[in-house]
Amino acid sequence: MLVNSKELFKKAQQGHYAIPSANVLDMESIKYHVGVAQELGLPLIVGVAEAHLGDNLTLEDAALVGKKYADAASVPVVLHLDHGMSVETCKKAIDLGFTSVMIDASMKSFEENVAITKEVVEYAKAKDVSVEAEIGHVASNFDENDTDALYTTAEEAKKFCEESGCDSLAISIGTAHGVYKAKAIPEISFDRLAEIHAATDVPLVLHGGSGSGDDNLNRCAKEGISKVNIYTDLYLAAMASADESKAKDYLSLRAAIKAGIQSCLKHYYSVFETK
């Protein structure tokens, strides 16, 4: 069933677990992710990053296919725009039927971030769509010019949530997007997570879950993170499965990719102790 994230996050907060937000790159991966959720009987957030839209997947494609498979599932499925970079993109996703959007104005000033987020919140509220925002900055390992994370403070998180009205908040506590250099597991600031968790009741989101270490992510889920974004590990698993299969035809290759992605997602459901 297609839902927004509000009730799912309430349950996650009460149960001290996290829900995976599994990013997709094409229409096939939408089916793969929903298939795992259906098999396990667990909720899922299908993440569609604005940066990944293009020839393989348009916003319209994602809305059409995402809604189809979410509606057909017997488990709750959220269709989420990840890292929407403009108010216009968020509004378009809402109009197409996405049930959750992230407006990422984290690189703007605090005041600009609040104002931009509020505009999206006001538009989304009328259509019962959830809004995620971000404060602080999760650095990207894919961009050599983006090396410095800006940790979220509890004071700013509390003030931002109160002023913006966002439904969930992505915070920066030590993770990064992409593949960690030298395969190092990041040092997550659990003290900072505890401070932010104590300062606001708004569900908290962790970006850059891939490669962050199962123990770290399990602890994050238990100590206040309600949603963890997974992208890189899903597609590294797909490539590894494809290589191991030594597939000699297209359908065998597709089957290997599917197996790798689904095995990785199942693993993270276990790590997050999703219920």
Side-chain angles (χ1 to χ4, degrees), residues 78-154:
V78 177
L79 183 58
H80 174 71
L81 174 68
D82 189 29
H83 287 288
M85 302 309 294
S86 69
V87 172
E88 291 71 28
T89 301
C90 289
K91 288 182 176 180
K92 183 178 180 181
I94 292 168
D95 291 341
L96 286 169
F98 278 67
T99 54
S100 175
V101 296
M102 177 194 182
I103 176 63
D104 185 357
S106 59
M107 297 306 289
K108 305 284 188 180
S109 69
F110 182 90
E111 292 76 16
E112 288 177 294
N113 193 353
V114 168
I116 291 168
T117 301
K118 280 182 70 174
E119 185 175 351
V120 176
V121 167
E122 288 169 3
Y123 192 83
K125 186 179 295 184
K127 301 197 177 187
D128 198 27
V129 171
S130 307
V131 177
E132 175 185 332
E134 180 173 328
I135 186 169
H137 176 59
V138 178
S140 171
N141 285 322
F142 291 129
D143 182 355
E144 63 182 13
N145 297 314
D146 183 21
T147 56
D148 295 323
L150 180 64
Y151 279 31
T152 309
T153 69

